[in-house]
Amino acid sequence: IYFNTAFLSQLVSDNSFRGIIQGSIRLINILLIQLVFSKLVFKDNLPKFLFFPIIMTVAYIPGMFVVGMFGVPFVFLATLASTLRWIFMSETMNANFDSKYRATAISTLSMIISFVNILIYFLSSLIIPRFGIGVMYTFLGIITILTLVPATLAVIRKTQ
């Protein structure tokens, strides 16, 4: 979410208008999740698992190429991916872990995500001052392709 706010600040300079955009993104996010994603019934986890890395890749890769309002849909997708991550992961954790191990599994996953975030924040301190937030956004897309896509494919293979 930190990168979404920074990227949006580069895209839209007016604070009031940016606030309206961020609020609208969150509102549309909530409505979309409630009206669409909560109603989707997946026969298996395959579409759900594939959806997350696809939406992240589409959201982040164009970062260094978009300017102004053309970048807002990508911030929307990144925000949606961030929210859906916890929804999808909660369902997966509940389905695959016995209740006595679930809290440990969720804590471990959160800790791993926190360590990855520390690394990404460190890298951003090197990338953003030199190349800008748009390049960082694209870098996040490349990281998604190199890490999350293979991890997702491994999970899919393991669950089939």
Side-chain angles (χ1 to χ4, degrees), residues 91-144:
E91 283 181 17
T92 302
M93 291 292 203
N94 287 333
N96 292 306
F97 288 95
D98 189 25
S99 62
K100 64 181 176 180
Y101 302 115
R102 195 174 303 133
T104 303
I106 291 170
S107 294
T108 303
L109 180 63
S110 294
M111 186 175 62
I112 291 168
I113 290 170
S114 294
F115 283 130
V116 169
N117 281 339
I118 289 169
L119 177 63
I120 289 173
Y121 292 147
F122 172 74
L123 292 172
S124 76
S125 73
L126 303 173
I127 293 170
I128 293 172
R130 288 181 180 88
F131 305 106
I133 187 69
V135 172
M136 186 64 202
Y137 235 59
T138 299
F139 180 69
L140 291 172
I142 293 167
I143 289 174
T144 299

Side-chain angles (χ1 to χ4, degrees), residues 27-145:
L27 181 61
I28 294 168
N29 208 333
I30 291 166
L31 293 172
L32 191 62
I33 289 168
Q34 284 300 311
L35 299 175
V36 177
F37 291 107
S38 65
K39 307 289 188 246
L40 287 178
V41 177
F42 295 104
K43 212 166 32 170
D44 57 27
N45 281 329
L46 181 66
K48 193 185 306 182
F49 283 135
L50 287 174
F51 183 78
F52 182 64
I54 290 170
I55 200 169
M56 283 184 65
T57 302
V58 169
Y60 289 129
I61 287 292
M64 62 191 277
F65 305 106
V66 295
V67 292
M69 292 300 292
F70 292 109
V72 172
F74 299 103
V75 175
F76 168 77
L77 288 174
T79 305
L80 180 64
S82 176
T83 305
L84 286 174
R85 171 187 63 191
W86 292 111
I87 293 170
F88 288 170
M89 289 306 297
S90 294
E91 283 181 17
T92 302
M93 291 292 203
N94 287 333
N96 292 306
F97 288 95
D98 189 25
S99 62
K100 64 181 176 180
Y101 302 115
R102 195 174 303 133
T104 303
I106 291 170
S107 294
T108 303
L109 180 63
S110 294
M111 186 175 62
I112 291 168
I113 290 170
S114 294
F115 283 130
V116 169
N117 281 339
I118 289 169
L119 177 63
I120 289 173
Y121 292 147
F122 172 74
L123 292 172
S124 76
S125 73
L126 303 173
I127 293 170
I128 293 172
R130 288 181 180 88
F131 305 106
I133 187 69
V135 172
M136 186 64 202
Y137 235 59
T138 299
F139 180 69
L140 291 172
I142 293 167
I143 289 174
T144 299
I145 291 169

